[in-house]
Amino acid sequence: MSSGQLFRQKDKSNSFHFGVDYKLNKNNELSMYSFMNPFSREFDGDVEYQTSDIMSGEKILKYSKNDTDRNLNSHFSIWYRHGFDKPGKEFTAEMNYSNFRAYNGTEYASVNTWNEYPEKYSSLIRPLQNSASFRLDYTLPLLEKLKFEAGLKFRIQKMKDRMPEGFLYGENVLAAYCSLARNGLKYTVIGGLRAERSATGSGGNTVFSGVTILPQLSVIRKFTEKQTIELSYNATTYRPNIYELNPYASFIDPFSVSTGNNNLESEITHKIKLSWSRSSGTNFISPGLFYEVENRSINRYAIVLENGNVESLIANMGNISRYGVQFSGSVRINNLITVNPWFRIYNMHTSLNEPVRWNNIAVRQKMVFETSFSAIAAFRHDFALSFQFQYKSPVISMQSDFFSDPLWMISAEKEFLKRFKAGIVTALPLAKSFTYQGYKTDTESLKMKNQGDIKLPAFPFWLKFSYKFSSGE
């Protein structure tokens, strides 16, 4: 089966931000911040499928696709700091509340002349997510070059689909963390530990509960004031989102469905890095080596159903490791131009859980190159030109390869009265087409390729305007 899709992408996004900072006195500060972001992304147009088999021969199926996508993300936070008479000793408290609600629907309407297939395929989800967190932090200088930090954080999160057959999911996380830092003449050592107690549930039943330990260690050797070498290790965790946890199937297109998994466990990633840094004025360079391993990696994989359709499933499929070299820097060429190069070259390797191997998924390996480069030229009268370039060679997941085209942008910006900015941006001039995302799956039982291209005018451009204001001291 092959398909061709011609869509018009419609993106809408508006962000409204508001913040207040109030300094009661030298030892007490209070800040409040909130934002609201209504947004949508819809792909409407026509789809054509060409199928063939021994029994029915070749057929061409045509559908019109219509998306309805409405999302609202809002957030509020309040932060308080109390300083003590002893320099460096302080206490902070922070409270956050976030709300996300959406209406995400897709409908495929048949324009075929026969009724062998349903005239319409539709899917609809109405996710609602509420989360609240409270955090306390305490900093205490023990000696002149020794500092202790500790804190507590509690977060509660509720996620559900507001459809009648929807799901309900909840998560509570209690975290305690501490760190100890010693800053010596030749060595700086920072060690820390974070312990998390989490419980997740669905439909009133606890499906996962456990304790996660996330250590951190950094050792910096100072050769001179401008030259150092650092060895660091840390562990991070990723928890599945509302779409990944939704256990109900939703149509991607007339021949594909996507299903979540409410038994997903969180990922844990371990990172080790060795880097050398050299600075001179405002310039610096920092080459290094790194190793990362992603345990209980959350990945999607596809299977072919008995009716020939494809179902996209998600699971903790195994581990993904990365190791290689990286480089970052910032160099001021003259009084006008500054360049910022960054790149990584690394090997990716997967290892699989035993149940995953039953779906004819094999261990995979690939070399990857990714880079970003930016340059800015700052002129008199608050006028600036900038250039940005990004590229990542194809990367692997447990089953597929993901790829996209290089992206570069050129912009000009002018500031007026220290508050108002206006600019013009062009991206990919003369490129005419841009692959913004794509994936390829090639296994014994399944071969798929999906590629999303944007058709561009010769010189695409958009205008930017921003206004910033503040009051008080």
Side-chain angles (χ1 to χ4, degrees), residues 327-329 339-344 369-375 387-392 407:
F327 176 87
S328 62
V339 297
N340 303 286
W342 176 89
F343 70 83
R344 296 206 306 175
F369 171 70
E370 58 179 303
T371 183
S372 66
F373 177 87
S374 65
F387 171 79
Q388 292 180 310
F389 174 83
Q390 294 180 353
Y391 173 69
K392 178 186 284 189
L407 172 65

Side-chain angles (χ1 to χ4, degrees), residues 227-282:
Q227 185 178 179
T228 63
I229 189 169
E230 179 181 4
L231 176 64
S232 64
Y233 162 79
N234 71 299
T236 60
T237 185
Y238 168 78
R239 294 183 180 84
N241 61 44
I242 189 170
Y243 296 101
E244 295 167 333
L245 292 164
N246 186 350
Y248 298 100
S250 59
F251 283 99
I252 302 174
D253 58 49
F255 297 97
S256 306
V257 296
S258 176
T259 306
N261 181 355
N262 61 357
N263 291 318
L264 289 175
E265 298 182 31
S266 57
E267 292 179 351
I268 297 181
T269 301
H270 301 274
K271 302 179 181 181
I272 300 174
K273 184 175 71 171
L274 176 65
S275 61
W276 174 81
S277 299
R278 176 66 184 266
S279 63
S280 176
T282 59

Side-chain angles (χ1 to χ4, degrees), residues 407-410 425-431 456-462:
L407 172 65
W408 67 92
M409 304 170 66
I410 302 171
V425 182
T426 182
L428 304 166
L430 302 177
L456 301 170
F459 289 94
F461 72 93
W462 59 92

